[in-house]
């Protein structure tokens, strides 16, 4: 990012609090005192996994029939696209910025601030939102209420928002209160407006027990 850690961070934990195949995340605090999360692409992941993707295409020659070969080719292409997006954190940064703009108009949802000047394709620095993981939140809040909150926030984004999380889970969800939840990272996607409208109308028809309209 063009800065030495001590220039911008008051503290930066050397040990990651989360570590996965592609990324690891560290708690830190800016010179201003603001708590942040610094997400890093693992340096060994880029070369290793992109090489593996190239090798996956060789499997096509061992599967009989053109139809099965096309299916595998499409699957490998989709997998490679998602993998490259996950290895370039600018995609996640843009998604979180879009989510934050959507959240400004929705009380139930909150998005972390992305610190662009402290981010790059291999580093993502975002505001650390004070909240609890879903499994821990049930100790404080009503279990069904937390589940209803998560479903409402996700459905709102999928059916009315500009972007929604594809793989919401314990690692990228924070329950802020019994009335607000935050999606803090991961893979995001979006749906065309016509598709959102069709799904929304289908849910309304199903709730109204109208099979003809649902069909």
């Amino acid at each position: 990012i063009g800065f030495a850690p001590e220039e911008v961070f008051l503290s930066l934990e050397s040990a990651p609090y989360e570590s996965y195949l592609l990324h690891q995340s560290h708690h830190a605090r800016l010179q201003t005192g603001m708590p942040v999360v610094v997400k890093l692409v693992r340096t060994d992941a880029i070369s290793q996994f992109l090489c593996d993707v190239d090798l996956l295409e060789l499997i096509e020659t061992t599967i009989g029939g053109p139809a099965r070969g096309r299916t595998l080719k499409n699957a490998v292409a989709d997998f490679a696209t998602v993998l490259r997006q996950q290895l370039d954190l600018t995609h996640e940064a843009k998604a979180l910025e879009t989510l934050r703009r959507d959240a400004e108009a929705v009380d139930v949802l909150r998005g972390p601030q992305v610190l662009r000047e402290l981010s790059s394709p291999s580093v993502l620095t975002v505001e650390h939102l004070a909240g609890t993981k879903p499994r821990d939140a049930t100790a404080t809040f009503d279990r069904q209420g937390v589940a209803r909150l998560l479903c409402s926030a996700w459905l709102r984004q999928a059916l009315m928002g500009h972007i929604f999380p594809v793989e919401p889970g314990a690692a990228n969800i924070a329950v802020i209160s019994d009335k607000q939840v935050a999606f803090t990272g991961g893979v995001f996607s979006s749906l065309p407006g016509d598709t959102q409208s069709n799904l929304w109308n289908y849910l309304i028809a199903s709730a109204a027990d109208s099979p003809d309209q649902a069909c």
Side-chain angles (χ1 to χ4, degrees):
I1 58 175
F3 299 98
E6 59 272 13
E7 292 183 55
V8 291
F9 298 113
L10 185 65
S11 62
L12 175 63
E13 294 182 358
S14 58
Y17 73 91
E18 286 180 344
S19 183
Y20 299 98
L21 284 174
L22 303 181
H23 312 106
Q24 62 189 54
S25 298
H26 300 252
H27 287 301
R29 191 173 293 274
L30 301 182
Q31 295 287 356
T32 60
M34 178 183 181
V36 295
V37 171
V38 182
K39 184 175 183 177
L40 307 173
V41 175
R42 296 175 65 95
T43 54
D44 57 336
I46 298 178
S47 58
Q48 177 183 342
F49 287 101
L50 292 182
C51 178
D52 287 347
V53 167
D54 292 335
L55 293 175
L56 281 176
E57 298 179 0
L58 299 178
I59 300 177
E60 182 182 350
T61 61
T62 67
I63 296 181
R68 301 182 83 180
R70 284 195 298 272
T71 300
L72 176 65
K73 189 172 184 178
N74 291 336
V76 170
D78 287 344
F79 175 74
T81 298
V82 173
L83 182 63
R84 288 187 173 90
Q85 287 181 350
Q86 289 185 297
L87 291 174
D88 182 353
L89 295 177
T90 57
H91 294 283
E92 187 173 338
K94 291 177 182 177
L96 288 173
E97 288 173 336
T98 301
L99 181 71
R100 184 175 172 85
R101 287 193 294 270
D102 279 358
E104 291 175 354
V106 186
D107 292 337
V108 74
L109 186 64
R110 189 170 170 188
Q113 177 186 353
V114 177
L115 287 88
R116 278 286 188 166
E117 68 278 10
L118 302 179
S119 301
S120 72
S122 58
V123 180
L124 176 61
T125 304
V126 299
E127 171 191 13
H128 175 61
L129 295 176
T132 57
K133 299 299 182 186
R135 67 169 69 92
D136 299 326
T138 56
T140 306
F141 309 118
D142 174 63
R143 184 183 183 90
Q144 290 186 345
V146 171
R148 194 175 296 114
L149 176 67
L150 291 173
C151 289
S152 297
W154 188 88
L155 278 172
R156 191 272 169 199
Q157 281 307 112
L159 298 179
M160 299 179 184
H162 292 93
I163 203 159
F164 66 94
V166 175
E167 301 171 340
N172 51 41
I173 290 176
V175 180
I176 308 299
S177 69
D178 61 345
K179 293 181 172 60
Q180 191 176 58
V181 66
F183 298 119
T184 59
V187 179
F188 291 84
S189 188
S190 60
L191 292 173
D194 290 346
T195 302
Q196 287 181 317
S197 296
N198 287 338
L199 288 170
W200 176 245
N201 291 331
Y202 169 76
L203 288 176
I204 291 176
S206 297
D209 195 21
S210 175
D212 290 339
Q213 185 180 352
C215 184

